[in-house]
Amino acid sequence: MNGDVSFIGKDIVSINDLSRKDIEYIMDVAETMVPYAKGEKSGRILKGKILGNLFFEPSTRTRLSFESAAHRLGLDVLDVSEMSMTSMAKGETLSDTIRMVDTYCDAIVLRHPHDGAARLAANVAKSPVINAGDGAGSHPTQTLLDLFTIKRSMGSIDGLNIVLLGDLKYGRTVHSLSNALTRFGAKLTFVAPESLQMPQDIIDSLTANNCKPYITDKLDDVIESADVLYVTRIQRERFPDPAEYQKVAGCYRIDNEALRNAKKEMIVMHPLPRVNEIAPEVDDTEHAKYFEQAFNGIPVRMALLSSIMGGEL
Ligand code: CP
């Protein structure tokens, strides 16, 4: 492991807070966590500490994989999965809620529907805060597990052709991921209808980091050269106007026909949940990596929690 990197007590709000060296450190620790994440070995290195797992927006993978990671490390978990069951339903502010939870635990994981909520929580709490997704903002732990999945599948991330497809406007996973990929010299292609293309401020920041993405609405034109196809759901819940959602719903569907010209070793990823954008027939192909990707959330989150809370195997 890299002795120059220290995560003790660190907030993880945005992937932009992490250098390439930091990301590589977490991926190296995550690799050692895989047998523990699978339950093949036991390493309760954070026994006696408490994690606050606050989810104020629906989640399956992030909430449960943080909880699983915590249990595998021996942490006790304060689990909140509904805002309506907290005093926020009586009008308490997020700031006061975080101030209280901070005194009950040693680290806080927060998912919230509003962009900026994790930064606010990190400013209020003395304990480290990990952003588990804030509105259309960012989802840094998803990015870490995405990068870990690419590295494990392809051997390296450097210089790969990565195609991001779907809801690039509201998709926080693709915002965080595309930023992180510039640190690995990846070549990016954005495939989306014009109304869901990547926001200009993100394109500008990528370009400033020597990564000028290729932008199109046609997957067929770029599939042949892709090493990774990262598919996202068109997120109905993020559209201010339901009529705008209806115009683009179902605009891409990845099935075996759509993948006919793909390289044999190209991988298909998806942060999940999927709706109709990947046909179940793809699940049985060598391309499908999305369920393995979801599992990788456990070793990656174990690596983060142990690095932040100060435990070593
Ligand atoms: N990938 C992801 O964030 O999934 P959940 O919304 O189920 O946590």
Side-chain angles (χ1 to χ4, degrees):
M1 301 299 162
N2 193 323
D4 301 343
V5 177
S6 175
F7 272 81
I8 302 280
K10 192 175 168 70
D11 298 313
I12 308 292
V13 174
S14 161
I15 198 71
N16 296 337
D17 300 340
L18 305 183
S19 65
R20 174 172 175 152
K21 208 187 243 186
D22 293 332
I23 294 170
E24 285 175 337
Y25 175 82
I26 291 297
M27 290 197 291
D28 287 346
V29 178
E31 196 57 56
T32 69
M33 292 290 178
V34 170
Y36 298 88
K38 290 180 173 169
E40 293 164 1
K41 288 186 182 177
S42 175
R44 298 166 65 78
I45 52 179
L46 294 178
K47 193 165 167 40
K49 296 200 176 187
I50 299 175
L51 179 71
N53 211 29
L54 309 184
F55 278 72
F56 298 137
E57 194 184 48
S59 168
T60 297
R61 278 145 291 273
T62 314
R63 183 166 77 87
L64 297 182
S65 65
F66 260 115
E67 199 167 334
S68 176
H71 288 306
R72 296 286 191 204
L73 292 167
L75 282 162
D76 290 314
V77 180
L78 305 180
D79 185 35
V80 177
S81 58
E82 276 192 50
M83 206 181 279
S84 62
M85 298 302 285
T86 73
S87 285
M88 292 175 84
K90 302 176 211 160
E92 187 165 45
T93 61
L94 175 64
S95 177
D96 280 0
T97 303
I98 295 293
R99 230 178 269 271
M100 292 318 309
V101 174
D102 190 27
T103 64
Y104 303 152
C105 62
D106 302 295
I108 297 170
V109 173
L110 175 69
R111 172 169 287 194
H112 196 280
H114 296 149
D115 195 344
R119 185 68 71 192
L120 183 149
N123 290 341
V124 168
K126 292 191 182 73
S127 313
V129 171
I130 303 176
N131 182 3
D134 59 342
S138 61
H139 195 351
T141 67
Q142 178 71 43
T143 300
L144 290 169
L145 75 90
D146 291 343
L147 294 170
F148 183 65
T149 303
I150 296 170
K151 186 171 176 222
R152 284 201 113 202
S153 305
M154 309 301 286
S156 161
I157 303 168
D158 290 85
L160 293 179
N161 279 316
I162 304 205
V163 176
L164 306 176
L165 172 136
D167 178 359
L168 308 185
K169 179 175 180 182
Y170 298 111
R172 59 192 172 200
T173 60
V174 285
H175 299 168
S176 296
L177 180 60
S178 53
N179 265 314
L181 285 167
T182 62
R183 270 162 257 169
F184 293 86
K187 298 175 196 76
L188 300 183
T189 297
F190 298 152
V191 181
E194 199 182 339
S195 63
L196 288 181
Q197 259 300 350
M198 192 63 87
Q200 191 59 44
D201 62 316
I202 294 184
I203 294 175
D204 291 344
S205 88
L206 300 174
T207 307
N209 285 310
N210 298 320
C211 174
K212 190 164 172 40
Y214 180 70
I215 294 174
T216 179
D217 60 356
K218 293 183 186 61
L219 178 62
D220 254 358
D221 292 355
V222 296
I223 190 80
E224 275 179 46
S225 58
D227 298 303
V228 176
L229 173 61
Y230 193 98
V231 183
T232 61
R233 177 174 65 93
I234 311 280
Q235 303 172 93
R236 180 199 294 263
E237 68 276 22
R238 305 258 182 251
F239 280 74
D241 178 357
E244 289 304 308
Y245 169 74
Q246 287 306 333
K247 282 186 200 162
V248 288
C251 59
Y252 297 107
R253 181 166 165 85
I254 305 304
D255 54 16
N256 288 343
E257 173 62 15
L259 298 177
R260 70 194 180 286
N261 292 325
K263 292 181 201 172
K264 194 169 143 295
E265 61 277 17
M266 186 209 68
I267 60 169
V268 177
M269 297 174 64
H270 191 309
L272 303 177
R274 68 173 155 182
V275 184
N276 293 313
E277 58 278 1
I278 301 181
E281 66 183 15
V282 178
D283 301 358
D284 301 325
T285 70
E286 291 291 313
H287 297 301
K289 284 286 169 209
Y290 27 93
F291 294 120
E292 193 177 316
Q293 179 186 355
F295 163 75
N296 286 339
I298 302 176
V300 166
R301 289 170 174 131
M302 288 177 77
L304 261 184
L305 291 172
S306 62
S307 301
I308 289 169
M309 298 177 84
E312 256 184 60
L313 286 169

